[in-house]
Amino acid sequence: MSYETIRQSLLIHNGLYYLNEELKLSGYMAYDVQWIRINRKWYYRHVLFDIVHRMPIAELLAKKEDSKTNKNFIKNSIQPKDCITIVTDLKPSYDKIMRELRFVHQHCTFHLLLNIYDTISPELTKMHKEFERDLKNMELNLCDNEIKEKSKQFINDYKSEINEYLSLIYQLFKQQTHDKAIQYLDLLKRESINFPKPLKDYMDEKFFPEYKKFIHFLEKRHKGKLDNTNNQIENYIGNTMPRAHKKKFRTMEGVFNQIMLQKNGWIEKRNQELTFLQSRII
């Protein structure tokens, strides 16, 4: 990638930008955004990561985290020939971006669980309140503490049931082949009639119509190269800008310089580990 392309990218993004020009890309990418607050304003650290090489590709510290910024950052950091697959969280706007950039788009399966919890939590809170209200209306001469204890037990039992079914769902991502995953998916669809209603509604409305995006990693052409979670990039982000350090800086330049310093140390440590492993193999 030419320096002119990098200069144009800087102009497009209006932010602080880094590109790893030495890395020969595998085509298997991960993308994530870290929020950083500087002087009471939110800034956004966009990160591209090579899954196979386990190395950062590009970083951008910008004032925005909209679809245009996301797309331009990725487009200007990766050549079309290297746009093979990419792993992201479940943000809806990513689907269109990755489709336009011609990526096979793998959704993070760990974020699926987080999304399920976030979606059904309001329903569980509602059920909790309704159960307490019903107990009071039944005039069982229960004191407030007894009502709270019974309602707490009710909702905990319900959550345990949901967790059991979530474990069943997550087995989908532990199948050995894509074909076996499809067979297991059919089993889940048949079993879903027995799921607790909030979980069944989520699966019917949001998961089953989109299931293909969660099992690309099991396809034969991607096996062993594509991850099903964003763990690698999140580990890198967390190590180069820990949550406890995000509020210690007053300027974008200060944050970016610290990120670059930590990045260099992270890459050096990673290279040393690879060299050690290679020497042991030899």
Side-chain angles (χ1 to χ4, degrees), residues 172 175 177-187 211 215:
L172 172 66
Q175 301 301 303
T177 67
H178 190 267
D179 288 342
K180 288 183 177 180
I182 296 298
Q183 293 173 10
Y184 191 85
L185 187 79
D186 291 337
L187 182 150
Y211 76 88
I215 58 174

Side-chain angles (χ1 to χ4, degrees), residues 223-265:
K223 198 75 178 290
K225 293 181 286 187
L226 179 60
D227 287 349
N228 67 313
T229 70
N230 250 357
N231 288 352
Q232 280 199 53
I233 191 171
E234 289 181 353
N235 177 272
Y236 167 73
I237 289 174
N239 277 281
T240 50
M241 181 50 66
R243 182 176 299 180
H245 295 174
K246 290 198 298 183
K247 297 180 180 180
K248 293 184 177 181
F249 302 94
R250 296 185 178 181
T251 66
M252 286 180 66
E253 290 77 10
V255 172
F256 197 72
N257 287 340
Q258 179 65 13
I259 290 172
M260 292 298 101
L261 180 64
Q262 294 297 320
K263 168 191 64 67
N264 292 339

Side-chain angles (χ1 to χ4, degrees), residues 3 5 18 36 45 58 65 69 82 86 94 97 101 109 115 124 131 136 142 154 173 193 228 236 262 268 275:
Y3 285 102
T5 301
Y18 155 79
I36 300 175
R45 178 192 179 188
E65 200 252 330
T69 304
D82 294 317
I86 194 163
Y94 289 166
I97 294 170
L101 295 176
T109 57
N115 194 260
L124 295 178
F131 187 80
K136 291 178 181 179
L142 297 174
F154 163 74
F173 311 121
I193 192 172
N228 67 313
Y236 167 73
Q262 294 297 320
E268 182 179 355
T275 301

Side-chain angles (χ1 to χ4, degrees), residues 127-128 131 149-158:
M127 292 174 63
H128 192 178
F131 187 80
E149 188 62 33
K150 285 183 176 294
S151 62
K152 181 180 178 181
Q153 185 62 50
F154 163 74
I155 207 67
N156 285 341
D157 290 344
Y158 199 77

Side-chain angles (χ1 to χ4, degrees), residues 171-206:
Q171 289 299 316
L172 172 66
F173 311 121
K174 296 183 179 180
Q175 301 301 303
Q176 294 300 309
T177 67
H178 190 267
D179 288 342
K180 288 183 177 180
I182 296 298
Q183 293 173 10
Y184 191 85
L185 187 79
D186 291 337
L187 182 150
L188 284 178
K189 288 180 178 179
R190 293 194 299 270
E191 181 63 25
S192 66
I193 192 172
N194 298 315
F195 288 1
K197 188 177 184 306
L199 182 58
K200 182 181 185 304
D201 290 344
Y202 183 95
M203 297 296 287
D204 289 343
E205 296 170 11
K206 297 187 177 182

Side-chain angles (χ1 to χ4, degrees), residues 31-34 44-48 58-66 69-70 73 94 237:
Y31 172 65
D32 203 359
V33 178
Q34 181 186 39
Y44 305 92
R45 178 192 179 188
H46 301 253
V47 182
L48 271 169
E59 302 209 26
L60 169 72
L61 186 62
K63 297 179 181 179
K64 294 182 179 181
E65 200 252 330
D66 54 12
T69 304
N70 298 341
F73 167 61
Y94 289 166
I237 289 174

